[in-house]
Amino acid sequence: MKHRLSQSRAFTLVELLVVIAIIGVLVALLLPAIQAAREAARRSQCLNNLRQLSVAMLNYESAKKGLPHLAKHWSNAEMTATYGAGGVQGSWYDDHGWYLPLMPYIEQQGIVAVVDVTKSFSHAANEAARRAFVPLYACPTDIGLQRNEWGSVYWARVRSNYVVNGGNTVYGQHLLGGCPGEFPNCITFGGAPFIPKKEGKLAAITDGTANTLMMSEVFVLPETANWGGPYSDAQTALGGQMFTGYQTPNTTVPDGLDRQSWWWSPNQDVRDAWAAAELPSPPASPLNIPRSNDVPAEARVDNQHGTKQNYVSARSRHPGGVNASRCDASVAFYTDSIDRFVWNALTSAAGGETVSIGN
């Protein structure tokens, strides 16, 4: 009896290469879809962060009868009157903004517990609170929370993604340009949800809470050995805790930031960080601020280095636009192509503009 031996046939090199090529093509086709799905999930998480923060703002408003102050003080004299000379570290803009008052409403009572309210926020007594990382303030599409001047007991802070609406002009909340006139040559300040020294009343948002932005995103500046400026510093009142509607989202126009000649021109590591963050580089000096007329006395007081002329644009790592919340705590995605007048109107609280937000 003859027995046949079964023989297994191996893949040839050509067949193996064909299979690998097919797998490569499938991966190439699926990878963009996978990446898009991941980004959609990250964008959804970012929206959820903004939603939680905005609900916390409304809970604060319910308890305190107003939204947290944009800056606790608006001059050095006011700051010294509150704390006395021994309780002051830095200037008025180194003190509290909206960041710390919101902590009890996002379940961060432990941070509040280590704060000495009889001293300014930049005082050494409040170092632990400034060093605390709060994950809710980080958009998952960006690089995460970053350390600022970590070697200093006074200036160590955490840079983060979410900032509040400081209105449609600049930090000093006044008109810009040649007024009276037409937009954008003249931009009349139309009120803001967040204001200096006191709580912002929801009743003052006459444009409607559903038509007025509350919070949006900015990039997080990578950690630098030297001070990288006020950008993405939401903890204090230096101007990095807010955005304005002066420019549209993700604009290529550099932001107007104070003390640029101090922190920008001498430091290569700062320049490298801004390049890595893909931020429009500010000029070293003079400040990149818009021309303004009839600036009220209150906006000129203790305006060291142009601090009250700051303007920060909303910026996001999400392709094509930014996430933002409104003053009714609803959230939406706004595209980079949004009309400048519409975006400016959305950042004013009592401008009286009639706009269709379409979100």
Side-chain angles (χ1 to χ4, degrees), residues 101-140:
L102 196 64
M103 288 296 167
Y105 300 89
I106 56 172
E107 300 182 350
Q108 295 292 334
Q109 293 88 344
I111 295 177
V112 181
V114 297
V115 171
D116 184 349
V117 296
T118 68
K119 296 179 173 62
S120 60
F121 196 44
S122 292
H123 196 281
N126 291 321
E127 179 186 4
R130 285 184 277 105
R131 290 181 182 269
F133 279 65
V134 181
L136 184 60
Y137 286 106
C139 171

Side-chain angles (χ1 to χ4, degrees), residues 63-75:
K64 305 292 186 179
K65 309 306 178 188
L67 297 169
H69 47 63
L70 189 62
K72 186 173 182 178
H73 302 102
W74 212 225
S75 71

Side-chain angles (χ1 to χ4, degrees), residues 62-301:
S62 179
K64 305 292 186 179
K65 309 306 178 188
L67 297 169
H69 47 63
L70 189 62
K72 186 173 182 178
H73 302 102
W74 212 225
S75 71
N76 290 337
E78 292 172 355
M79 188 176 179
T80 303
T82 297
Y83 300 121
V88 171
Q89 174 62 43
S91 298
W92 64 270
Y93 42 70
D94 298 307
D95 198 20
H96 300 282
W98 59 267
Y99 184 86
L100 187 74
L102 196 64
M103 288 296 167
Y105 300 89
I106 56 172
E107 300 182 350
Q108 295 292 334
Q109 293 88 344
I111 295 177
V112 181
V114 297
V115 171
D116 184 349
V117 296
T118 68
K119 296 179 173 62
S120 60
F121 196 44
S122 292
H123 196 281
N126 291 321
E127 179 186 4
R130 285 184 277 105
R131 290 181 182 269
F133 279 65
V134 181
L136 184 60
Y137 286 106
C139 171
T141 300
D142 208 347
I143 60 175
L145 303 175
Q146 298 289 298
R147 304 186 305 181
N148 172 82
E149 294 180 279
W150 213 241
S152 171
V153 298
Y154 303 112
W155 314 126
R157 297 187 295 276
V158 178
R159 296 184 185 271
S160 52
N161 279 111
Y162 304 119
V163 292
V164 300
N165 176 13
N168 63 316
T169 58
V170 294
Y171 190 20
Q173 301 189 333
H174 54 75
L175 60 80
L176 301 177
C179 299
E182 296 296 323
F183 181 92
N185 296 320
C186 164
I187 304 179
T188 302
F189 176 64
F194 296 88
I195 57 178
K197 301 198 298 182
K198 55 187 177 182
E199 283 80 15
K201 305 296 184 182
L202 287 185
I205 305 177
T206 56
D207 288 347
T209 56
N211 298 320
T212 304
L213 298 181
M214 177 180 280
M215 302 186 72
S216 190
E217 305 173 82
V218 292
F219 295 168
V220 175
L221 187 72
E223 182 177 357
T224 55
N226 296 289
W227 182 46
Y231 188 84
S232 70
D233 177 7
Q235 287 189 338
T236 61
L238 190 52
Q241 80 279 27
M242 59 99 214
F243 77 101
T244 76
Y246 178 66
Q247 297 289 345
T248 51
N250 292 314
T251 177
T252 58
V253 177
D255 293 333
L257 300 169
D258 74 334
R259 294 194 284 179
Q260 288 174 184
S261 60
W262 286 31
W263 57 266
W264 176 252
S265 56
N267 302 318
Q268 187 61 47
D269 65 318
V270 174
R271 292 174 179 270
D272 291 343
W274 276 67
E278 299 178 332
L279 281 161
S281 299
S285 185
L287 291 175
N288 180 38
I289 55 177
R291 181 172 60 89
S292 57
N293 296 334
D294 303 325
V295 177
E298 183 71 0
R300 294 195 299 266
V301 173

Side-chain angles (χ1 to χ4, degrees), residues 294-316:
D294 303 325
V295 177
E298 183 71 0
R300 294 195 299 266
V301 173
D302 275 3
N303 188 24
Q304 301 100 320
H305 319 293
T307 302
K308 292 176 184 175
Q309 295 297 93
N310 277 4
Y311 66 87
V312 175
S313 303
R315 300 185 190 275
S316 173

Side-chain angles (χ1 to χ4, degrees), residues 16-51:
L16 185 59
L17 291 175
V18 169
V19 170
I20 292 173
I22 292 172
I23 293 173
V25 170
L26 290 175
V27 170
L29 292 173
L30 289 174
L31 191 58
I34 293 171
Q35 291 174 334
R38 287 177 176 172
E39 169 53 23
R42 289 191 291 261
R43 195 172 91 177
S44 178
Q45 179 59 52
C46 181
L47 278 169
N48 185 58
N49 291 351
L50 279 167
R51 166 76 176 166

